[in-house]
Structures are given as structure tokens and as C-alpha cells.
């Protein structure tokens, strides 16, 4: 605890999450910091002081929002995909949303969701994936019949709900703002999370970026209508415009890292800190292998991960 306090002294104001073996970080180790209980995740709120010596109302709202957010980040090892379950602890209806589920781990996800006494309403994909088959079809047909699949309208894929840039999806007192972030594919979107208790939005808490922005990287742009220049502009206009303290949760990581922040990526991302022209050149020289599962995954993901009884195999 003392080590964490020393390392964070002088950190930019914001909301930070730390995994820890203890459930609570005592405020006496961190003067001017307030910490909230959050299961095995410690929520450290570093707040800027006003002239009066009181905490700022904006960051207080962020702290309250983080305290009532329930989130589970789960991993699928074959494609190194992260699936996210989000819920409002104070929601009496126990509704949740699921982001980027995978068919291979749909049974595990369903077990976790039921253990937490949650009911999925929306099953979101950030884009039409090429490296795995989405789990939305399995989850909504075999486990949660009331849930609806969600996909960007411009993706060309089938879904119960099609979304476009600027639309808002809700669960409990939280909102997910849809931001179009094409470039990896033409239909990529990111979901920015806010708390909206009382109708007033908190600052952005976190963003689920799919393959548009990865931890110290970004998605490839050499298939599925990918466009390096478009990706660069999407990230800089729609993601790097968020506050530095906004937490970033990507669809994949291949080195065991779980999250980052907008501030970190603006400063440290080896590709996206370059000029646009240099970025385009770097992406054109990657020479990545053809995705192993794209021929099987892509057609399925265009029909929500499941071929219906009367759907031809070449429906894509």
C-alpha cells in the first residue's frame, strides 16, 4: 500500500483502477486521495483541490460512478480476445450489456452472468471480427433469449439492433455512446462509457475500442475495407480527443496487458504518435500473414455468429 501511494504521488487528477490482493486501500496511506471499495479492484480517485480545499464536483461524480459500476473482463485464449460484462450495481432490474463475446467461451460467459444474477439486454460487437466467431448468436439463442445483438449499421452484418455514430445505449444509470472509428474495418465502432445519474453525464469513464486502438498498437488495415489513413484520423478525432484519464479497454492484447489510458496511448503508442503520413507508411510495410480463421469467421459474423435454418452458407 505504501509503495502504491509513493508511486502515485503527483499523478494527474482522474480515476484509476488497480488490481490488488487486498480489497481496500486505506486513505491514510494517500493523503488527499479517496478510495472506494470495488471487489478485488481498488478504485483510486486522485482529485484536484479547489481554492477552498474541497474536492472537485466533477471528479466526485466520477468516483461515485466507478463505485456503482460492475465490470468483468474475461479472456479467450485462442484469439486473445477480451469480453466485457457491464452492469449497474444499483439497478433493481439487474440488466447488463456484453461487449465482444466469443462463441468458444459463451458457456463460461453465461455462467459468470448467471452467478452475478444479471440479465443481458444487449450483446455488442465493436466490429465484424475476422479472428474468431462472435458469441452473440449462441448467447441469445441458448442462454438469454431476451437479449439483442448490436452491430454498426455500416458493417453490413445482421443484428437485432444497428447503431450509428452518436447513438446512445443504456443500462441502469450508465450510457454507452457509439463513436464511429473505422479504419481497421469499415464498420468499427467504439463505446464510450458515462454515468448519467440524475440525467447529468459524468466525464468519460472508459472506452471500449475494439481493434481500432490497442495497447501500444492498433488493428491491421489490410482487409475488410481497411484504410490506414482513415484509422489514424478516427483514433485522433474520436479517441485521443477524450480526457487523458479515460480508461481504455481493447478487444485484444497479445502480451497479457489488460487496459491502458488515453493519456498513455497519446504519449506512448509507437504507431499512433507518428505523423499521418508516417503511420500510413508503417502500416503498409507490416506484411502480416493472412488471418487463419477469416474464411470461417467472417461469413458467420455477418449473420450474428449463427447460420439460421434457412440461411445459405454463402449468405455473406
Amino acid at each position: 500500500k505504501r509503495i502504491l501511494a509513493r508511486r502515485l504521488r503527483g499523478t494527474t487528477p482522474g480515476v484509476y483502477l488497480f488490481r490488488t490482493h487486498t480489497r481496500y486501500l486505506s486513505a491514510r496511506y494517500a493523503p488527499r486521495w479517496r478510495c472506494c471499495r470495488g471487489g478485488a479492484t481498488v478504485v483510486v480517485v486522485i482529485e484536484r483541490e479547489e481554492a477552498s480545499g474541497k474536492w472537485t464536483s466533477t471528479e466526485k461524480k466520477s468516483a461515485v460512478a466507478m463505485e456503482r459500476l460492475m465490470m468483468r473482463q474475461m479472456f479467450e485464449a485462442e484469439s486473445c480476445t477480451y469480453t466485457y460484462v457491464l452492469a449497474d450495481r444499483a439497478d433493481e432490474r439487474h440488466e447488463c450489456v456484453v461487449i465482444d463475446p466469443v462463441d468458444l467461451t459463451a458457456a463460461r460467459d453465461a455462467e459468470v452472468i448467471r452467478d452475478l444474477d444479471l440479465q443481458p439486454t444487449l450483446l455488442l460487437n465493436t466490429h465484424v471480427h475476422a479472428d474468431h466467431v462472435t458469441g452473440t448468436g449462441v448467447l441469445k439463442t441458448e442462454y438469454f433469449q431476451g437479449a439483442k445483438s448490436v452491430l454498426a449499421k455500416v458493417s453490413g452484418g445482421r443484428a437485432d439492433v444497428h447503431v450509428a455514430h452518436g447513438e446512445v445505449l443504456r443500462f441502469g444509470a450508465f450510457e454507452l455512446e457509439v463513436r464511429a472509428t473505422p479504419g481497421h474495418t469499415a464498420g468499427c465502432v467504439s463505446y464510450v462509457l458515462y454515468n448519467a445519474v440524475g440525467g447529468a453525464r459524468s466525464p468519460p469513464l472508459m472506452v471500449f475500442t475494439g481493434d481500432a486502438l490497442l495497447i501500444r498498437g492498433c488493428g491491421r488495415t489490410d482487409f475488410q475495407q481497411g484504410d490506414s489513413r482513415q484509422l489514424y484520423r478516427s483514433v485522433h478525432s474520436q479517441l485521443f480527443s477524450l480526457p487523458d484519464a479515460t480508461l481504455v479497454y481493447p478487444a485484444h492484447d497479445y502480451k497479457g496487458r489488460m487496459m491502458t489510458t488515453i493519456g498513455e496511448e497519446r504519449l506512448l503508442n509507437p504507431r499512433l504518435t507518428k505523423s499521418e503520413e508516417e503511420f500510413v507508411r508503417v502500416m503498409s510495410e507490416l506484411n502480416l500473414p493472412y488471418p487463419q480463421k477469416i474464411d470461417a469467421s467472417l461469413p458467420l459474423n455477418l449473420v450474428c455468429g449463427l447460420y439460421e435454418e434457412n440461411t445459405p452458407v454463402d449468405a455473406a
Side-chain angles (χ1 to χ4, degrees), residues 53-84:
K54 298 180 180 179
W55 309 119
T56 64
S57 58
T58 297
E59 285 158 343
K60 279 185 178 180
K61 188 174 181 65
S62 294
V64 172
M66 294 300 292
E67 188 173 22
R68 66 184 286 173
L69 175 68
M70 179 187 296
M71 185 179 84
R72 294 294 183 270
Q73 181 183 33
M74 296 179 287
F75 186 67
E76 189 279 307
E78 184 175 303
S79 61
C80 295
T81 299
Y82 285 125
T83 296
Y84 302 93

Side-chain angles (χ1 to χ4, degrees), residues 212-214 216-218 228 231-233 235-236 240 265-266 268-275 279:
L213 177 62
L214 304 177
R216 308 298 189 267
C218 62
S228 299
L231 177 60
Y232 185 91
R233 294 176 181 178
V235 172
H236 279 263
F240 283 179
E265 296 309 311
R266 280 167 48 88
L268 300 172
N269 193 294
R271 296 180 185 172
L272 289 157
T273 50
K274 299 181 183 298
S275 69
F279 175 80

Side-chain angles (χ1 to χ4, degrees), residues 188-246:
C188 286
V189 295
S190 297
Y191 299 103
V192 183
L193 180 70
Y194 302 86
N195 182 270
V197 174
R201 270 187 177 181
S202 69
L205 301 174
M206 56 187 67
V207 57
F208 300 89
T209 56
D211 286 20
L213 177 62
L214 304 177
I215 301 172
R216 308 298 189 267
C218 62
R220 61 194 294 176
T221 57
D222 57 339
F223 63 90
Q224 285 182 268
Q225 300 83 48
D227 186 314
S228 299
R229 197 174 300 278
Q230 187 179 46
L231 177 60
Y232 185 91
R233 294 176 181 178
S234 293
V235 172
H236 279 263
S237 64
Q238 299 301 323
L239 301 178
F240 283 179
S241 58
L242 294 168
D244 282 352
T246 307

Side-chain angles (χ1 to χ4, degrees), residues 109-126:
D109 298 349
E111 181 180 12
V112 170
I113 291 167
R114 287 174 172 169
D115 284 348
L116 296 173
D117 193 24
L118 298 175
Q119 181 60 47
T121 55
L122 299 173
L123 308 171
L124 289 66
N125 277 298
T126 52

Side-chain angles (χ1 to χ4, degrees), residues 33 89-90 108 118 130-131 141 164 181 210 215 217 241 261 267 288 314:
W33 302 350
R89 296 178 189 275
R108 176 208 61 188
L118 298 175
D131 55 358
T141 58
T181 49
I215 301 172
S241 58
T261 68
L267 181 66
L288 298 172
D314 61 349

Side-chain angles (χ1 to χ4, degrees), residues 80-306:
C80 295
T81 299
Y82 285 125
T83 296
Y84 302 93
V85 177
L86 305 173
D88 182 347
R89 296 178 189 275
D91 180 17
E92 295 180 354
R93 295 171 296 184
H94 298 231
E95 294 179 347
C96 72
V97 300
V98 182
I99 301 175
D100 285 337
V102 180
D103 65 337
L104 297 178
T105 46
R108 176 208 61 188
D109 298 349
E111 181 180 12
V112 170
I113 291 167
R114 287 174 172 169
D115 284 348
L116 296 173
D117 193 24
L118 298 175
Q119 181 60 47
T121 55
L122 299 173
L123 308 171
L124 289 66
N125 277 298
T126 52
H127 61 291
V128 175
H129 301 273
D131 55 358
H132 67 269
V133 175
T134 179
T136 54
V138 175
L139 286 173
K140 74 175 189 173
T141 58
E142 296 186 19
Y143 299 98
F144 307 105
Q145 283 71 29
K148 296 184 180 299
S149 58
V150 179
L151 192 63
K153 184 177 182 179
V154 297
S155 69
R158 182 183 302 169
D160 299 313
V161 178
H162 285 112
V163 294
H165 180 79
E167 293 188 28
V168 174
L169 305 171
R170 295 178 174 85
F171 63 97
F174 290 89
E175 295 181 347
L176 284 168
E177 176 195 4
V178 180
R179 293 200 178 191
T181 49
H184 170 60
T185 74
C188 286
V189 295
S190 297
Y191 299 103
V192 183
L193 180 70
Y194 302 86
N195 182 270
V197 174
R201 270 187 177 181
S202 69
L205 301 174
M206 56 187 67
V207 57
F208 300 89
T209 56
D211 286 20
L213 177 62
L214 304 177
I215 301 172
R216 308 298 189 267
C218 62
R220 61 194 294 176
T221 57
D222 57 339
F223 63 90
Q224 285 182 268
Q225 300 83 48
D227 186 314
S228 299
R229 197 174 300 278
Q230 187 179 46
L231 177 60
Y232 185 91
R233 294 176 181 178
S234 293
V235 172
H236 279 263
S237 64
Q238 299 301 323
L239 301 178
F240 283 179
S241 58
L242 294 168
D244 282 352
T246 307
L247 305 177
V248 175
Y249 288 96
H252 305 279
D253 189 78
Y254 308 97
K255 296 183 178 180
R257 299 165 298 192
M258 299 175 69
M259 51 81 68
T260 181
T261 68
I262 290 296
E264 283 183 46
E265 296 309 311
R266 280 167 48 88
L267 181 66
L268 300 172
N269 193 294
R271 296 180 185 172
L272 289 157
T273 50
K274 299 181 183 298
S275 69
E276 181 176 322
E277 296 303 324
E278 183 67 8
F279 175 80
V280 171
R281 183 191 65 78
V282 168
M283 297 301 289
S284 70
E285 296 175 354
L286 290 178
N287 296 318
L288 298 172
Y290 188 73
Q292 292 183 358
K293 297 188 69 174
I294 187 171
D295 293 331
S297 299
L298 191 55
L300 274 167
N301 289 335
L302 286 167
V303 291
C304 206
L306 287 177

